[in-house]
Amino acid sequence: MGPLGFYNICLKTDHLKETVGFYRRLGFAPVGEDAPGLRVSLANGDDALTFMTFLGGNLVNFRGAHIHRLMNEILAADVVVAGYNEMPDQQPLMLDEEGEPLPDNECGHFTVHDPDGHELFFNTHPHERATFEAALAGKARERDHEDILPGRLVYCLDVTDLDASSAFYETLGLRVRREGDGAWITPPARYRAIRFLLQLRESRKAGSRLRFYGGVRPVDLLRPLGFTRNALGWVGTDPDRRRLEFLVESPMPHR
């Protein structure tokens, strides 16, 4: 399987102003181009979140890959693909004489869902292709165990069948490392320039949560936001009732 693209977490919000204010108090700041009242992107170091009022639900977004080629590889792996180029006006394609996208215009979008219905949305605009190819050709900065600890944000998916979910993400060409009642999902080593860390957690009910690993935040910051202390760290919710966890332990064990 080819590279899936740059990784981004997109979250549905019904309270955009309040949610942006909440995450700004946690240290996130606006980045990129926003659409007033519709979309705001926030980042804290390498960690980024995009909040959208028009989403049907939360999703993991991959951008920049060769869309048509990647879709064919995913279809060949017997994964169901939906919504291929439902909005062609947003990502116009240049086609060859047989109707196939030209190599320098491998843009468009499609969607797949994991066994619990979590959405993975793949989309690439023309201007993103060169950026993504440059990243793949570049050398990734080596990061050791300690370098990724402070406040590392991990998107955690609650899944009802860890075996089925692990097999699904392996089918997409991702590395799956099982650990207790969960698993860590990362890109294969050959795509180290494209970094992300996704977590699966076996649960009776499908869902998702944001986990911040590597240290407990100050009491005077989290307690006023409604967080409570437990054995693992601090637990609370944002204005959209999304669960957030600030955990003491590191995000991944030593390799």
Side-chain angles (χ1 to χ4, degrees), residues 98-147:
E98 297 179 353
E100 298 294 331
L102 295 172
D104 60 349
N105 191 240
E106 283 268 352
C107 302
H109 52 266
F110 65 88
T111 296
V112 302
H113 293 88
D114 75 4
D116 285 284
H118 298 297
E119 180 177 353
L120 281 67
F121 180 57
F122 299 85
N123 72 315
T124 297
H125 290 270
H127 68 274
E128 295 172 319
R129 289 289 312 122
T131 302
F132 185 64
E133 290 294 338
L136 287 179
K139 217 172 174 185
R141 180 174 65 88
E142 291 296 327
R143 301 201 295 182
D144 60 19
H145 178 66
E146 289 73 23
D147 194 17

Side-chain angles (χ1 to χ4, degrees), residues 1 3 9 31 54-55 67 69 71 79 86 91 101 123 157 169 192 209 220 229 232 235 243:
M1 190 79 65
I9 303 169
V31 294
F54 51 87
L55 286 181
I67 288 296
R69 185 185 308 169
M71 184 186 70
V79 175
E86 286 183 342
Q91 293 139 312
N123 72 315
L157 301 179
Y169 287 97
R192 288 182 62 83
R209 62 191 67 201
D220 59 358
R229 191 77 164 87
L232 299 178
V235 178
R243 184 178 176 89

Side-chain angles (χ1 to χ4, degrees), residues 100-245:
E100 298 294 331
L102 295 172
D104 60 349
N105 191 240
E106 283 268 352
C107 302
H109 52 266
F110 65 88
T111 296
V112 302
H113 293 88
D114 75 4
D116 285 284
H118 298 297
E119 180 177 353
L120 281 67
F121 180 57
F122 299 85
N123 72 315
T124 297
H125 290 270
H127 68 274
E128 295 172 319
R129 289 289 312 122
T131 302
F132 185 64
E133 290 294 338
L136 287 179
K139 217 172 174 185
R141 180 174 65 88
E142 291 296 327
R143 301 201 295 182
D144 60 19
H145 178 66
E146 289 73 23
D147 194 17
I148 65 175
L149 294 187
R152 179 72 189 271
L153 171 61
V154 176
Y155 191 44
C156 179
L157 301 179
D158 292 333
V159 300
T160 56
D161 186 333
L162 187 59
D163 290 335
S165 293
S166 296
F168 170 84
Y169 287 97
E170 286 179 335
T171 297
L172 295 181
L174 300 175
R175 298 172 66 190
V176 176
R177 172 186 255 175
R178 298 285 290 266
E179 183 182 273
D181 63 350
W184 298 100
I185 311 296
T186 59
R190 65 183 179 278
Y191 299 134
R192 288 182 62 83
I194 311 302
R195 296 194 196 91
F196 67 86
L197 184 59
L198 186 66
Q199 188 178 19
L200 305 180
R201 172 183 174 273
E202 193 158 46
S203 174
R204 290 180 296 177
K205 183 180 178 181
S208 62
R209 62 191 67 201
L210 298 177
R211 285 180 161 177
F212 295 83
Y213 282 89
V216 175
R217 296 297 180 95
V219 175
D220 59 358
L221 170 65
L222 294 180
R223 186 162 285 158
L225 291 175
F227 285 80
T228 58
R229 191 77 164 87
N230 64 18
L232 299 178
W234 290 82
V235 178
T237 59
D238 68 11
D240 291 297
R241 307 303 299 168
R242 204 173 352 261
R243 184 178 176 89
L244 281 73
E245 300 172 348

Side-chain angles (χ1 to χ4, degrees), residues 23-31 41-49 150-153 212 217 221 246:
Y23 283 91
R24 292 196 72 167
R25 290 179 68 182
L26 291 177
F28 283 76
V31 294
S41 296
L42 303 173
N44 185 346
D46 291 335
D47 297 327
L49 298 168
R152 179 72 189 271
L153 171 61
F212 295 83
R217 296 297 180 95
L221 170 65
F246 286 85

